[in-house]
């Protein structure tokens, strides 16, 4: 039995040698020597893939210019952009209309109104409480002194009424000297001049009573002025042509004066 076992062992060793050589032949490249590589060969730096070779670019001759017809056929030309003509372009509203700021009152009183306007919120609030808020602000504007207390507002309105009464006297005097005016009209206009003088006296007494805080006198004198303005118009009742019956040539002026006086009375009644 022992020789048979030795024979089997020899056969096993033989096959082991053959298999070992075959495995070594597969693992080791053919162009590599049988010498074992050191462990440093397998470091991470040695395991990185080799850099790709840098290829030197080969200079080529520039392409020849294509034929004009061929180039236009392959690439359509970009249409030129038209520059807008400023002469044909419609002008904007701002360019047509220049920015002009004109400060004008709602109602013209012919006493310099329009040179400035009143923007004080307290004065506007007081005028809004009257029946003629626009006329109130327009009357105060030329006489505005920067104050907005109620007595000062009333004083400025009385000054406006006084100035308007003076303008009425000048208008009546001019109409009375007009050659086209008949004697009766001239007589009535002269009466209006005297009546306007009485209204001026009443306005002056009213303005003198303001520093004294005499509200009663202010109201009485302004009411008297309103009566005078109405008397001027009443003198033309029944006047024949050229002035129509019952129509005064001073009616518009007197209406404006009565409205201003009415505003003064309304604000005077607000004084505690």
């Amino acid at each position: 039995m022992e020789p048979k076992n030795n024979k089997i062992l020899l056969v096993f060793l033989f096959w082991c040698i053959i298999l070992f050589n075959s495995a070594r032949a597969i693992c080791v490249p053919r162009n590599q020597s049988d010498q074992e590589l050191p462990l440093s060969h397998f470091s991470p730096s040695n395991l990185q893939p080799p850099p790709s070779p840098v290829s030197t670019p080969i200079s080529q001759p520039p392409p020849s210019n294509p034929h004009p017809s061929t180039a236009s056929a392959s690439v359509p030309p970009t249409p030129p952009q038209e520059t807008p003509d400023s002469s044909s372009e419609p002008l904007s509203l701002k360019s047509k209309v220049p920015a002009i700021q004109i400060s004008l009152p709602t109602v013209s009183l012919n006493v310099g109104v329009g040179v400035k306007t009143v923007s004080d919120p307290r004065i506007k609030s007081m005028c809004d409480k009257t029946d003629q808020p626009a006329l109130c602000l327009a009357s105060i504007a030329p006489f505005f002194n920067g104050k907005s207390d109620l007595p000062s507002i009333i004083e400025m309105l009385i000054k406006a009424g006084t100035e308007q009464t003076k303008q009425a006297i000048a208008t009546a005097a001019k109409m009375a000297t007009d050659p086209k005016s008949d004697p009766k009209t001239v007589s009535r206009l002269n009466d209006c001049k005297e009546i306007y003088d009485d209204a001026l006296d009443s306005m002056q007494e009213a303005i003198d009573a303001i520093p004294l805080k005499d509200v009663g006198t202010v109201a009485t004198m302004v009411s008297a002025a309103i009566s005078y303005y109405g008397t001027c118009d009443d003198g033309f009742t029944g006047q024949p042509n050229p002035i129509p019956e019952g129509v005064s040539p001073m009616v518009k002026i007197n209406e404006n004066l009565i409205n201003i006086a009415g505003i003064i009375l309304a604000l005077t009644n607000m004084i505690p």
Side-chain angles (χ1 to χ4, degrees):
M1 293 293 299
E2 186 173 355
K4 186 176 181 179
N5 292 334
N6 293 336
K7 184 177 180 180
I8 293 172
L9 181 60
L10 291 174
V11 172
F12 176 76
L13 293 175
F14 176 78
W15 284 107
C16 288
I17 293 171
I18 293 175
L19 291 175
F20 177 79
N21 290 333
S22 300
R24 185 177 181 183
I26 294 172
C27 296
V28 179
R30 295 181 179 181
N31 58 351
Q32 186 79 13
S33 62
D34 293 340
Q35 186 179 0
E36 296 182 359
L37 298 173
L39 293 176
S40 61
H41 180 77
F42 299 97
S43 63
S45 60
N46 292 331
L47 293 178
Q48 295 179 355
S52 58
V54 179
S55 58
T56 304
I58 302 174
S59 59
Q60 297 181 358
S64 58
N65 293 331
H67 194 270
S69 60
T70 306
S72 61
S74 59
V75 181
T78 304
Q81 297 181 355
E82 297 181 359
T83 303
D85 188 3
S86 58
S87 59
S88 61
E89 186 179 6
L91 298 176
S92 63
L93 182 59
K94 291 184 178 179
S95 60
K96 288 183 178 180
V97 182
I100 303 176
Q101 297 181 353
I102 302 177
S103 175
L104 292 176
T106 306
V107 179
S108 176
L109 300 180
N110 298 324
V111 290
V113 178
V115 294
K116 60 182 179 180
T117 57
V118 179
S119 59
D120 190 291
R122 186 174 179 183
I123 294 181
K124 185 177 183 303
S125 176
M126 289 297 179
C127 287
D128 288 341
K129 296 177 182 179
T130 66
D131 294 334
Q132 305 272 346
L135 178 61
C136 177
L137 289 173
S139 301
I140 294 174
F143 304 97
F144 181 59
N145 56 9
K147 299 179 181 179
S148 59
D149 58 285
L150 190 53
S152 296
I153 296 175
I154 294 174
E155 181 179 352
M156 289 182 281
L157 285 169
I158 294 176
K159 289 181 179 180
T162 300
E163 184 63 30
Q164 281 290 285
T165 304
K166 292 178 181 179
Q167 293 289 332
I169 294 174
T171 302
K174 183 177 181 180
M175 293 176 65
T177 57
D178 189 350
K180 296 180 181 179
S181 298
D182 64 280
K184 290 184 178 180
T185 301
V186 173
S187 177
R188 301 301 189 275
L189 290 173
N190 289 329
D191 291 342
C192 285
K193 287 169 54 180
E194 295 179 2
I195 293 172
Y196 290 142
D197 285 332
D198 293 336
L200 286 177
D201 293 337
S202 297
M203 285 293 191
Q204 186 60 46
E205 290 186 38
I207 203 169
D208 291 339
I210 293 178
L212 303 176
K213 298 181 180 179
D214 189 353
V215 179
T217 300
V218 174
T220 300
M221 293 298 102
V222 174
S223 297
I226 293 176
S227 178
Y228 290 135
Y229 300 141
T231 302
C232 173
D233 288 333
D234 293 340
F236 291 90
T237 302
Q239 178 76 13
N241 289 331
I243 298 176
E245 184 177 355
V247 177
S248 168
M250 307 296 293
V251 64
K252 292 297 183 181
I253 296 176
N254 290 329
E255 180 181 357
N256 190 58
L257 291 171
I258 293 173
N259 288 333
I260 295 176
I263 295 172
I264 297 172
L265 286 178
L267 294 178
T268 302
N269 293 332
M270 297 180 190
I271 298 178

